[in-house]
Amino acid sequence: MAQPPADNSPDKQSPVTDPLMPDEDTLLDYINSCPTPPNLRVIAKAFKIGKDRRASLRRLLRDMADRDLLAGNRRGIAAPDTLPEVTVLELTDFDDNGDGIARLAGNDNGTQPEIRVILSRRAGHAPAVGQQVLARLAQVGPALYDARIIRILDRQQKQLFGVIIAAGKGFRLQPSERGKRGSLEVQVPNDMTIEAGDLVEARLLPTRGYIGKTARILVNLGNASSPGAFSALTLAELGIRHQFSDASISESKGLKVPSVKGRRDLRDHPLVTIDGADARDFDDAVFAEPANHGGWRLIIAIADVSYYVRPDSALDLEARKRGNSVYLPDRVVPMLPETISNDICSLRPDEDRAAMIAELNIDKDGKRLSHRIERALIRSHARLTYEQVQAVYEGTMDEADCNVSHGILHALFGAWRALDEDRKKREPLALNLKERRVVMDDCGNAIAISQRSQTESQRLIEDFMIAANVAAADTLIASRLPCVFRVHDTPDPKKAATLTKLAETLGSSFTTGQVLRPHHFNKILALASDTPDALTVNEAVLRSQAKAFYNTENIGHFGLSLRNYAHFTSPIRRYADLLVHRALVDASASPKKGPKDGLCGMLADQIAEICSHISETEATAAAAERRTVDRFAAALFQTRTGLVVDGIIASVTGFGAFVRLEDGAADGLMPLNALPDDFYDYDEQAQMLKGRHNGWQFNVGMHVRVKVTEVTPVTGGILVEWTEGGLQSDHPRRKGQNHAKKSFGKLATVARGRGTSNGMPRGAKGKGGKRKRR
């Protein structure tokens, strides 16, 4: 802060030329150094100007204002470019510390001051890039401000994405967001060319109302038909980082495998990796052998990422921002540069690698007897795929065919059977859902959507990893060190109540008044197992569950029926696991000298904020995968436009029903105006749409036949129209009419009105009829 003169005695000179009055530069330096604009009294006090000279000071300040050197209002005096204390900001990015970078909302002209938004994710949901916030500013330097959020403003996003469509002699923009039916005029920069089918990022130009809105194209992401276009669009929409900073790339070069000193040498143990055929980063290897006590000795080796990625390094800050790797059908956005994830930390066969190992001793029923976690040097003896291991398990292939020694895989199977016994006693949530995968050709073009169920080889690895994760959590709890827990809360009774009628339909009962346990849900799942309704019931149970997330407070994991649980087994692709590794390094270190690759004194509040952040990035990654798969599925479904296909109602909302098409390859929306003509009421608990007049009912699990009316690949949206199916209950207006009913599984009953060509009730108005929901 500028130092005011020591003395100011009365003087009759003009304030502009008064040598005892502070000069203009001194005044400006002082005013700019104040966190908030000072008023006349504050300035006078700072420069020790008495009341008898304040009139002169006022004239000086007024003269400076007339010459645009100062600006002022009732709150105080400031330099003309000083920002108001409270204003609206637009978040543009995040810095290396996780704080926001913002600019004045609605001001695209001139030089912007530097504004840092101090985020506290513990106070609530953090804003996203492009979102506007009302913030309180504090000036901390010339053209430098700190801002604290008062509230996040729910305003229309100015940034949007979409596909260019032909319109007459020009083009328009069709937004990629689902539900946006209209198109916008486009303004194209002079140095850019566009054509129909291009995916673009644009900025909405300010106008009033929605009619006549114009978007200025910012970036052309490439044509929608080109390989990788859908993934590029999703990454841009969700603001997912996919380019590494120069500093992090530089740090990732020249890394070397450490010596065996200070590590356990396990290079002679025949550890093997088991992953998908297309995997490139191998972050875990496993080994098992019979133990003298009649049980099993297990070793789960995990890449020692914490040795290479040190706290607060450029690599660490980049990994923290990303939170996790993002897996899309045709590309992977890794959390760490490929020189780490696919090279120095990848447990490739016949290469020495640094690892963190969990050694577990279990009895014949899978109960853990003892464990220890330590650093080691390992060497993978084979890179195996799930398909190979499954073939050995089923007896269609021998271990020799996989280039592993006799007994290695069979020992893994034996240990897994013991773990499976323990799993059955725990009774975790027994969901059985297929995973949708996009099948690509050699040129990167999608050719099909496949659905894959979990195999025994995948369950083996899953149970080994769960056992290691529990051991890691128990170790940190015993050491009284900070732990990033993976927690899953008990389901909300209101959500779970939606299963009551579903259970009744299956011949069971489900009461939310009891203390819910996974076995209550498993009872419903077991009744639907091996029936046509299995997938529908599994999805309904999944929707009733809470979301798993990361937290420093341990509330247990409901779905796994575990009291203590943490993520330890994938530090290459999850930042949570990296934090757990660092805490485990601290747990094994000498108390006198903390390691450089531990938590390094990270405070509990910092870890809690990181937990909130990485829970958000995980949700974003899941949304990115889902959105991209939906787009590929819609693109493949485009050839079926106009055809009638079979479907099952997967979920019901107040605006229509979502129909699973072709056994889950894609989902289509059947809006209210695509149902038989009626007024429809939405029963959320029963998950049903019910017509008031003609008695039509549509609920989860019903088999229907629908016509594909519209497919929009860029949004991933498929619209369908009812042709037949559903239930038409007895209704006063329907008495005396005949009904043809046909059963499709326990949950589905189909009725078609007679006497009409399209199956609609007599007297229905057709598509133009009035529909209403309440």
Side-chain angles (χ1 to χ4, degrees), residues 596-650:
K596 295 180 180 180
D597 49 359
L599 288 174
C600 295
M602 184 178 286
L603 300 176
D605 283 353
Q606 290 177 283
I607 300 176
E609 285 202 16
I610 292 173
C611 284
S612 296
H613 170 65
I614 60 180
S615 294
E616 291 170 10
T617 60
E618 179 191 39
T620 301
E625 181 180 4
R626 184 170 57 250
R627 189 177 297 186
T628 309
V629 172
D630 283 346
R631 284 174 169 145
F632 278 113
L636 291 169
F637 224 81
Q638 213 166 9
T639 57
R640 294 167 176 79
T641 304
L643 300 180
V644 176
V645 298
D646 291 319
I648 301 175
I649 296 178

Short mmCIF file of all heavy atoms in Angstrom, two decimals, residues 596-650:
data_model
loop_
_atom_site.label_atom_id
_atom_site.label_comp_id
_atom_site.label_asym_id
_atom_site.label_seq_id
_atom_site.Cartn_x
_atom_site.Cartn_y
_atom_site.Cartn_z
N LYS A 596 8.64 -38.61 0.51
CA LYS A 596 8.31 -37.56 -0.45
C LYS A 596 7.16 -37.94 -1.37
O LYS A 596 6.63 -37.07 -2.06
CB LYS A 596 9.56 -37.24 -1.30
CG LYS A 596 10.70 -36.64 -0.51
CD LYS A 596 11.89 -36.34 -1.42
CE LYS A 596 13.04 -35.75 -0.62
NZ LYS A 596 14.21 -35.46 -1.49
N ASP A 597 6.81 -39.21 -1.38
CA ASP A 597 5.73 -39.66 -2.26
C ASP A 597 4.50 -40.11 -1.47
O ASP A 597 3.67 -40.85 -1.96
CB ASP A 597 6.19 -40.77 -3.20
CG ASP A 597 6.93 -41.89 -2.46
OD1 ASP A 597 7.09 -41.78 -1.23
OD2 ASP A 597 7.35 -42.86 -3.12
N GLY A 598 4.39 -39.63 -0.22
CA GLY A 598 3.19 -39.87 0.58
C GLY A 598 2.22 -38.71 0.41
O GLY A 598 2.25 -37.99 -0.60
N LEU A 599 1.36 -38.51 1.40
CA LEU A 599 0.41 -37.40 1.34
C LEU A 599 1.05 -36.06 1.63
O LEU A 599 0.46 -35.01 1.34
CB LEU A 599 -0.74 -37.64 2.34
CG LEU A 599 -1.73 -38.75 1.97
CD1 LEU A 599 -2.70 -38.98 3.11
CD2 LEU A 599 -2.48 -38.41 0.70
N CYS A 600 2.26 -36.07 2.21
CA CYS A 600 3.03 -34.85 2.46
C CYS A 600 2.23 -33.82 3.27
O CYS A 600 2.21 -32.63 2.95
CB CYS A 600 3.51 -34.23 1.15
SG CYS A 600 4.70 -35.27 0.27
N GLY A 601 1.55 -34.30 4.30
CA GLY A 601 0.86 -33.39 5.20
C GLY A 601 -0.41 -32.78 4.64
O GLY A 601 -0.86 -31.74 5.15
N MET A 602 -1.00 -33.36 3.63
CA MET A 602 -2.23 -32.82 3.08
C MET A 602 -3.31 -32.79 4.16
O MET A 602 -3.52 -33.75 4.88
CB MET A 602 -2.69 -33.67 1.88
CG MET A 602 -3.92 -33.13 1.18
SD MET A 602 -4.39 -34.14 -0.27
CE MET A 602 -3.11 -33.65 -1.44
N LEU A 603 -4.00 -31.65 4.27
CA LEU A 603 -5.01 -31.46 5.30
C LEU A 603 -6.29 -32.20 4.96
O LEU A 603 -6.60 -32.45 3.80
CB LEU A 603 -5.29 -29.97 5.48
CG LEU A 603 -4.10 -29.10 5.90
CD1 LEU A 603 -4.52 -27.64 5.94
CD2 LEU A 603 -3.56 -29.54 7.25
N ALA A 604 -7.05 -32.52 6.02
CA ALA A 604 -8.30 -33.26 5.83
C ALA A 604 -9.28 -32.48 4.96
O ALA A 604 -10.00 -33.07 4.15
CB ALA A 604 -8.92 -33.56 7.19
N ASP A 605 -9.32 -31.14 5.13
CA ASP A 605 -10.23 -30.32 4.31
C ASP A 605 -9.85 -30.40 2.84
O ASP A 605 -10.73 -30.42 1.97
CB ASP A 605 -10.21 -28.87 4.78
CG ASP A 605 -11.03 -28.65 6.05
OD1 ASP A 605 -11.70 -29.62 6.46
OD2 ASP A 605 -10.99 -27.55 6.60
N GLN A 606 -8.55 -30.43 2.55
CA GLN A 606 -8.10 -30.54 1.16
C GLN A 606 -8.53 -31.87 0.56
O GLN A 606 -9.02 -31.93 -0.57
CB GLN A 606 -6.58 -30.43 1.09
CG GLN A 606 -6.02 -29.04 1.38
CD GLN A 606 -4.49 -29.06 1.35
OE1 GLN A 606 -3.83 -29.52 2.29
NE2 GLN A 606 -3.93 -28.60 0.25
N ILE A 607 -8.36 -32.94 1.32
CA ILE A 607 -8.75 -34.26 0.82
C ILE A 607 -10.25 -34.32 0.60
O ILE A 607 -10.73 -34.90 -0.39
CB ILE A 607 -8.29 -35.36 1.80
CG1 ILE A 607 -6.76 -35.33 1.96
CG2 ILE A 607 -8.74 -36.73 1.32
CD1 ILE A 607 -6.23 -36.31 2.99
N ALA A 608 -11.02 -33.70 1.51
CA ALA A 608 -12.49 -33.69 1.37
C ALA A 608 -12.91 -32.97 0.10
O ALA A 608 -13.82 -33.41 -0.61
CB ALA A 608 -13.13 -33.05 2.59
N GLU A 609 -12.25 -31.84 -0.20
CA GLU A 609 -12.57 -31.11 -1.43
C GLU A 609 -12.21 -31.93 -2.66
O GLU A 609 -12.95 -31.94 -3.66
CB GLU A 609 -11.85 -29.77 -1.45
CG GLU A 609 -12.46 -28.74 -0.52
CD GLU A 609 -12.09 -27.31 -0.92
OE1 GLU A 609 -11.64 -27.12 -2.07
OE2 GLU A 609 -12.28 -26.41 -0.10
N ILE A 610 -11.08 -32.63 -2.60
CA ILE A 610 -10.68 -33.47 -3.72
C ILE A 610 -11.70 -34.59 -3.92
O ILE A 610 -12.05 -34.95 -5.05
CB ILE A 610 -9.27 -34.05 -3.50
CG1 ILE A 610 -8.23 -32.92 -3.57
CG2 ILE A 610 -8.94 -35.12 -4.53
CD1 ILE A 610 -6.83 -33.35 -3.19
N CYS A 611 -12.21 -35.15 -2.81
CA CYS A 611 -13.22 -36.20 -2.91
C CYS A 611 -14.45 -35.70 -3.66
O CYS A 611 -15.00 -36.41 -4.52
CB CYS A 611 -13.63 -36.68 -1.52
SG CYS A 611 -12.42 -37.76 -0.72
N SER A 612 -14.90 -34.50 -3.35
CA SER A 612 -16.05 -33.93 -4.06
C SER A 612 -15.74 -33.77 -5.54
O SER A 612 -16.57 -34.09 -6.40
CB SER A 612 -16.43 -32.58 -3.45
OG SER A 612 -16.86 -32.72 -2.12
N HIS A 613 -14.55 -33.28 -5.82
CA HIS A 613 -14.16 -33.03 -7.21
C HIS A 613 -14.08 -34.32 -8.01
O HIS A 613 -14.63 -34.41 -9.12
CB HIS A 613 -12.81 -32.30 -7.24
CG HIS A 613 -12.21 -32.20 -8.61
ND1 HIS A 613 -12.79 -31.48 -9.64
CD2 HIS A 613 -11.08 -32.76 -9.14
CE1 HIS A 613 -12.06 -31.59 -10.73
NE2 HIS A 613 -11.02 -32.36 -10.45
N ILE A 614 -13.42 -35.34 -7.48
CA ILE A 614 -13.25 -36.57 -8.25
C ILE A 614 -14.56 -37.36 -8.35
O ILE A 614 -14.74 -38.14 -9.29
CB ILE A 614 -12.11 -37.45 -7.70
CG1 ILE A 614 -12.37 -37.87 -6.24
CG2 ILE A 614 -10.78 -36.73 -7.85
CD1 ILE A 614 -11.25 -38.73 -5.66
N SER A 615 -15.47 -37.15 -7.40
CA SER A 615 -16.80 -37.76 -7.55
C SER A 615 -17.53 -37.13 -8.73
O SER A 615 -18.25 -37.81 -9.47
CB SER A 615 -17.61 -37.57 -6.26
OG SER A 615 -17.04 -38.29 -5.18
N GLU A 616 -17.32 -35.82 -8.91
CA GLU A 616 -17.93 -35.13 -10.05
C GLU A 616 -17.30 -35.56 -11.36
O GLU A 616 -18.02 -35.80 -12.36
CB GLU A 616 -17.79 -33.62 -9.87
CG GLU A 616 -18.62 -33.04 -8.74
CD GLU A 616 -18.27 -31.60 -8.44
OE1 GLU A 616 -17.52 -30.99 -9.23
OE2 GLU A 616 -18.74 -31.06 -7.42
N THR A 617 -15.97 -35.68 -11.40
CA THR A 617 -15.32 -36.08 -12.65
C THR A 617 -15.70 -37.51 -13.02
O THR A 617 -15.80 -37.85 -14.20
CB THR A 617 -13.79 -35.95 -12.57
OG1 THR A 617 -13.28 -36.79 -11.51
CG2 THR A 617 -13.38 -34.51 -12.30
N GLU A 618 -15.90 -38.36 -12.02
CA GLU A 618 -16.34 -39.73 -12.29
C GLU A 618 -17.72 -39.73 -12.93
O GLU A 618 -17.98 -40.45 -13.89
CB GLU A 618 -16.36 -40.53 -11.00
CG GLU A 618 -16.83 -41.97 -11.19
CD GLU A 618 -17.10 -42.66 -9.88
OE1 GLU A 618 -17.65 -42.02 -8.96
OE2 GLU A 618 -16.80 -43.87 -9.78
N ALA A 619 -18.62 -38.90 -12.38
CA ALA A 619 -19.98 -38.81 -12.95
C ALA A 619 -19.93 -38.26 -14.37
O ALA A 619 -20.67 -38.71 -15.26
CB ALA A 619 -20.85 -37.93 -12.06
N THR A 620 -19.03 -37.31 -14.61
CA THR A 620 -18.88 -36.75 -15.95
C THR A 620 -18.37 -37.80 -16.93
O THR A 620 -18.85 -37.90 -18.07
CB THR A 620 -17.91 -35.55 -15.93
OG1 THR A 620 -18.43 -34.55 -15.05
CG2 THR A 620 -17.74 -34.95 -17.31
N ALA A 621 -17.41 -38.62 -16.49
CA ALA A 621 -16.88 -39.68 -17.35
C ALA A 621 -17.96 -40.69 -17.70
O ALA A 621 -18.05 -41.15 -18.85
CB ALA A 621 -15.70 -40.37 -16.66
N ALA A 622 -18.79 -41.05 -16.71
CA ALA A 622 -19.88 -42.00 -16.97
C ALA A 622 -20.88 -41.41 -17.95
O ALA A 622 -21.38 -42.10 -18.85
CB ALA A 622 -20.56 -42.38 -15.66
N ALA A 623 -21.19 -40.11 -17.78
CA ALA A 623 -22.12 -39.45 -18.70
C ALA A 623 -21.54 -39.39 -20.11
O ALA A 623 -22.26 -39.56 -21.10
CB ALA A 623 -22.42 -38.04 -18.19
N ALA A 624 -20.23 -39.16 -20.21
CA ALA A 624 -19.58 -39.11 -21.53
C ALA A 624 -19.67 -40.45 -22.24
O ALA A 624 -19.99 -40.51 -23.44
CB ALA A 624 -18.12 -38.69 -21.36
N GLU A 625 -19.41 -41.52 -21.51
CA GLU A 625 -19.49 -42.86 -22.12
C GLU A 625 -20.92 -43.16 -22.55
O GLU A 625 -21.15 -43.63 -23.67
CB GLU A 625 -19.01 -43.92 -21.13
CG GLU A 625 -19.03 -45.32 -21.71
CD GLU A 625 -18.57 -46.38 -20.73
OE1 GLU A 625 -18.29 -46.02 -19.55
OE2 GLU A 625 -18.48 -47.55 -21.13
N ARG A 626 -21.87 -42.87 -21.68
CA ARG A 626 -23.27 -43.16 -21.99
C ARG A 626 -23.74 -42.34 -23.19
O ARG A 626 -24.42 -42.87 -24.10
CB ARG A 626 -24.12 -42.85 -20.76
CG ARG A 626 -25.59 -43.19 -20.89
CD ARG A 626 -26.29 -43.07 -19.54
NE ARG A 626 -26.15 -41.75 -18.95
CZ ARG A 626 -25.40 -41.48 -17.88
NH1 ARG A 626 -24.73 -42.44 -17.27
NH2 ARG A 626 -25.32 -40.25 -17.39
N ARG A 627 -23.39 -41.06 -23.21
CA ARG A 627 -23.83 -40.19 -24.30
C ARG A 627 -23.24 -40.62 -25.63
O ARG A 627 -23.92 -40.61 -26.66
CB ARG A 627 -23.44 -38.74 -23.97
CG ARG A 627 -24.03 -37.71 -24.91
CD ARG A 627 -23.67 -36.31 -24.50
NE ARG A 627 -24.20 -35.95 -23.19
CZ ARG A 627 -24.12 -34.72 -22.66
NH1 ARG A 627 -23.50 -33.76 -23.35
NH2 ARG A 627 -24.62 -34.46 -21.48
N THR A 628 -21.97 -41.01 -25.62
CA THR A 628 -21.31 -41.41 -26.87
C THR A 628 -21.89 -42.73 -27.39
O THR A 628 -22.12 -42.89 -28.60
CB THR A 628 -19.80 -41.54 -26.66
OG1 THR A 628 -19.30 -40.34 -26.04
CG2 THR A 628 -19.08 -41.72 -27.98
N VAL A 629 -22.11 -43.69 -26.50
CA VAL A 629 -22.71 -44.96 -26.91
C VAL A 629 -24.10 -44.71 -27.48
O VAL A 629 -24.49 -45.31 -28.49
CB VAL A 629 -22.75 -45.95 -25.74
CG1 VAL A 629 -23.55 -47.19 -26.12
CG2 VAL A 629 -21.34 -46.36 -25.32
N ASP A 630 -24.87 -43.83 -26.84
CA ASP A 630 -26.22 -43.51 -27.34
C ASP A 630 -26.15 -42.96 -28.76
O ASP A 630 -27.00 -43.26 -29.61
CB ASP A 630 -26.90 -42.48 -26.43
CG ASP A 630 -27.42 -43.10 -25.14
OD1 ASP A 630 -27.50 -44.35 -25.07
OD2 ASP A 630 -27.74 -42.34 -24.20
N ARG A 631 -25.15 -42.14 -29.05
CA ARG A 631 -25.03 -41.56 -30.38
C ARG A 631 -24.69 -42.62 -31.42
O ARG A 631 -25.23 -42.64 -32.53
CB ARG A 631 -23.97 -40.45 -30.36
CG ARG A 631 -24.49 -39.18 -29.71
CD ARG A 631 -23.43 -38.13 -29.56
NE ARG A 631 -24.06 -36.86 -29.17
CZ ARG A 631 -23.53 -35.97 -28.36
NH1 ARG A 631 -22.32 -36.18 -27.85
NH2 ARG A 631 -24.17 -34.87 -28.06
N PHE A 632 -23.77 -43.50 -31.06
CA PHE A 632 -23.44 -44.59 -32.00
C PHE A 632 -24.66 -45.49 -32.21
O PHE A 632 -24.93 -45.92 -33.34
CB PHE A 632 -22.27 -45.41 -31.46
CG PHE A 632 -20.92 -44.81 -31.73
CD1 PHE A 632 -20.13 -44.34 -30.70
CD2 PHE A 632 -20.44 -44.70 -33.03
CE1 PHE A 632 -18.87 -43.77 -30.95
CE2 PHE A 632 -19.19 -44.14 -33.30
CZ PHE A 632 -18.41 -43.68 -32.25
N ALA A 633 -25.38 -45.79 -31.12
CA ALA A 633 -26.56 -46.64 -31.24
C ALA A 633 -27.61 -46.00 -32.13
O ALA A 633 -28.23 -46.67 -32.98
CB ALA A 633 -27.13 -46.93 -29.86
N ALA A 634 -27.82 -44.68 -31.97
CA ALA A 634 -28.81 -43.98 -32.81
C ALA A 634 -28.37 -43.98 -34.27
O ALA A 634 -29.19 -44.17 -35.18
CB ALA A 634 -29.00 -42.56 -32.29
N ALA A 635 -27.09 -43.77 -34.50
CA ALA A 635 -26.60 -43.76 -35.88
C ALA A 635 -26.82 -45.11 -36.56
O ALA A 635 -27.20 -45.19 -37.73
CB ALA A 635 -25.11 -43.40 -35.90
N LEU A 636 -26.60 -46.19 -35.80
CA LEU A 636 -26.81 -47.53 -36.36
C LEU A 636 -28.30 -47.83 -36.55
O LEU A 636 -28.67 -48.64 -37.39
CB LEU A 636 -26.18 -48.58 -35.44
CG LEU A 636 -24.64 -48.59 -35.40
CD1 LEU A 636 -24.14 -49.49 -34.28
CD2 LEU A 636 -24.08 -49.06 -36.74
N PHE A 637 -29.15 -47.15 -35.76
CA PHE A 637 -30.59 -47.39 -35.84
C PHE A 637 -31.25 -46.55 -36.93
O PHE A 637 -32.44 -46.71 -37.21
CB PHE A 637 -31.24 -47.06 -34.49
CG PHE A 637 -32.25 -48.07 -34.04
CD1 PHE A 637 -31.85 -49.24 -33.42
CD2 PHE A 637 -33.61 -47.88 -34.25
CE1 PHE A 637 -32.77 -50.19 -33.00
CE2 PHE A 637 -34.54 -48.82 -33.84
CZ PHE A 637 -34.11 -49.98 -33.21
N GLN A 638 -30.50 -45.66 -37.54
CA GLN A 638 -31.08 -44.74 -38.53
C GLN A 638 -31.71 -45.48 -39.71
O GLN A 638 -32.71 -45.02 -40.27
CB GLN A 638 -29.99 -43.79 -39.02
CG GLN A 638 -30.52 -42.42 -39.35
CD GLN A 638 -29.39 -41.40 -39.49
OE1 GLN A 638 -28.22 -41.74 -39.50
NE2 GLN A 638 -29.75 -40.13 -39.60
N THR A 639 -31.18 -46.62 -40.04
CA THR A 639 -31.71 -47.38 -41.19
C THR A 639 -33.08 -47.98 -40.88
O THR A 639 -33.77 -48.43 -41.79
CB THR A 639 -30.75 -48.51 -41.58
OG1 THR A 639 -30.53 -49.36 -40.45
CG2 THR A 639 -29.42 -47.94 -42.04
N ARG A 640 -33.50 -47.98 -39.62
CA ARG A 640 -34.79 -48.56 -39.24
C ARG A 640 -35.90 -47.52 -39.17
O ARG A 640 -37.03 -47.85 -38.78
CB ARG A 640 -34.66 -49.28 -37.90
CG ARG A 640 -33.74 -50.50 -37.94
CD ARG A 640 -33.42 -50.95 -36.51
NE ARG A 640 -32.63 -52.15 -36.47
CZ ARG A 640 -31.32 -52.20 -36.66
NH1 ARG A 640 -30.64 -51.09 -36.96
NH2 ARG A 640 -30.67 -53.33 -36.59
N THR A 641 -35.61 -46.29 -39.53
CA THR A 641 -36.64 -45.26 -39.51
C THR A 641 -37.83 -45.68 -40.38
O THR A 641 -37.66 -46.08 -41.53
CB THR A 641 -36.07 -43.91 -40.01
OG1 THR A 641 -34.94 -43.56 -39.21
CG2 THR A 641 -37.11 -42.81 -39.90
N GLY A 642 -39.01 -45.60 -39.80
CA GLY A 642 -40.22 -45.99 -40.50
C GLY A 642 -40.64 -47.43 -40.29
O GLY A 642 -41.75 -47.81 -40.67
N LEU A 643 -39.77 -48.23 -39.68
CA LEU A 643 -40.09 -49.63 -39.45
C LEU A 643 -40.77 -49.82 -38.09
O LEU A 643 -40.59 -49.03 -37.17
CB LEU A 643 -38.82 -50.49 -39.50
CG LEU A 643 -38.02 -50.47 -40.82
CD1 LEU A 643 -36.80 -51.37 -40.70
CD2 LEU A 643 -38.90 -50.89 -41.98
N VAL A 644 -41.52 -50.90 -37.97
CA VAL A 644 -42.15 -51.27 -36.70
C VAL A 644 -41.27 -52.34 -36.04
O VAL A 644 -40.92 -53.35 -36.67
CB VAL A 644 -43.57 -51.81 -36.92
CG1 VAL A 644 -44.17 -52.29 -35.60
CG2 VAL A 644 -44.46 -50.72 -37.51
N VAL A 645 -40.90 -52.12 -34.79
CA VAL A 645 -39.99 -53.02 -34.08
C VAL A 645 -40.58 -53.37 -32.73
O VAL A 645 -41.47 -52.69 -32.21
CB VAL A 645 -38.59 -52.39 -33.90
CG1 VAL A 645 -37.94 -52.10 -35.24
CG2 VAL A 645 -38.67 -51.11 -33.06
N ASP A 646 -40.07 -54.46 -32.13
CA ASP A 646 -40.49 -54.86 -30.79
C ASP A 646 -39.72 -54.09 -29.74
O ASP A 646 -38.55 -53.74 -29.94
CB ASP A 646 -40.25 -56.36 -30.60
CG ASP A 646 -41.19 -57.21 -31.45
OD1 ASP A 646 -42.38 -56.84 -31.54
OD2 ASP A 646 -40.73 -58.21 -32.03
N GLY A 647 -40.37 -53.87 -28.61
CA GLY A 647 -39.71 -53.18 -27.52
C GLY A 647 -40.35 -53.51 -26.19
O GLY A 647 -41.44 -54.08 -26.12
N ILE A 648 -39.66 -53.14 -25.11
CA ILE A 648 -40.17 -53.30 -23.75
C ILE A 648 -40.05 -51.95 -23.06
O ILE A 648 -39.02 -51.28 -23.16
CB ILE A 648 -39.36 -54.35 -22.97
CG1 ILE A 648 -39.42 -55.70 -23.67
CG2 ILE A 648 -39.87 -54.48 -21.55
CD1 ILE A 648 -38.54 -56.76 -23.02
N ILE A 649 -41.11 -51.55 -22.36
CA ILE A 649 -41.07 -50.28 -21.63
C ILE A 649 -40.08 -50.42 -20.48
O ILE A 649 -40.28 -51.23 -19.57
CB ILE A 649 -42.46 -49.88 -21.13
CG1 ILE A 649 -43.39 -49.64 -22.32
CG2 ILE A 649 -42.37 -48.64 -20.26
CD1 ILE A 649 -44.81 -49.28 -21.92
N ALA A 650 -39.00 -49.64 -20.54
CA ALA A 650 -37.94 -49.72 -19.53
C ALA A 650 -38.18 -48.77 -18.37
O ALA A 650 -37.81 -49.06 -17.23
CB ALA A 650 -36.58 -49.43 -20.18
#
